[in-house]
Amino acid sequence: MTTATGMALPSAAAKPPTVPTDSRGYVDSPARCGPGQSAVVLGRTALSLVAICGDGRGHYEYRGIRLSDRAVQILPARSMANGCFGASSDAVDYTVSERKLLLTTGLRVLRDETMTEFLDYRVAAPVTKLSADDHVR
């Protein structure tokens, strides 16, 4: 945004720095697929990075990292009928969709994080969802 004086004002919602990705996930991050796996979907929220990895034989893995403290969660994952992916730990259920990362326990929502970036490798060319303040020109 520019004022009448021509000086630029900082954006109220500054975008976090871009994290490089490749066919295995987020480069130099725990949200990266292991040997013999490739990324199926990648998601980024303001608080987390998530990779859903597949082995090509129908087995999936959830690899997520909470950015604030670098806490890592790696769990078996499953493809859901609605196109989402789910994973469960002892107490928390994780749901990954193109719109959000949802963490629940029973009926209680622990975190509901909006995706700011989403890459879907299930289509011929990965589909990238951009944040609300990005515009196609």
Side-chain angles (χ1 to χ4, degrees):
M1 177 193 283
T2 306
T3 66
T5 62
M7 295 184 61
L9 299 175
S11 170
K15 287 183 68 173
T18 301
V19 180
T21 62
D22 64 16
S23 64
R24 289 187 45 216
Y26 290 98
V27 177
D28 296 327
S29 164
R32 184 169 180 75
C33 303
Q37 297 178 320
S38 59
V40 179
V41 299
L42 300 177
R44 179 181 183 150
T45 73
L47 304 173
S48 305
L49 296 176
V50 174
I52 299 295
C53 304
D55 65 1
R57 296 185 310 265
H59 300 106
Y60 299 102
E61 187 171 65
Y62 171 97
R63 290 178 168 252
I65 179 169
R66 186 172 52 222
L67 297 172
S68 63
D69 62 0
R70 309 278 303 161
V72 175
Q73 188 70 271
I74 300 174
L75 299 165
R78 64 195 172 284
S79 177
M80 300 166 70
N82 59 3
C84 299
F85 288 88
S88 298
S89 68
D90 292 335
V92 179
D93 292 317
Y94 300 79
T95 303
V96 178
S97 74
E98 71 178 77
R99 293 187 340 215
K100 65 175 65 180
L101 169 62
L102 185 65
L103 281 64
T104 57
T105 184
L107 298 175
R108 186 170 150 230
V109 174
L110 302 174
R111 292 198 346 225
D112 185 344
E113 301 179 23
T114 301
M115 289 292 179
T116 57
E117 295 176 345
F118 187 81
L119 292 148
D120 191 337
Y121 289 97
R122 294 174 290 183
V123 294
V127 174
T128 303
K129 176 191 172 246
L130 302 173
S131 64
D133 50 334
D134 290 329
H135 302 283
V136 177
R137 297 177 196 253

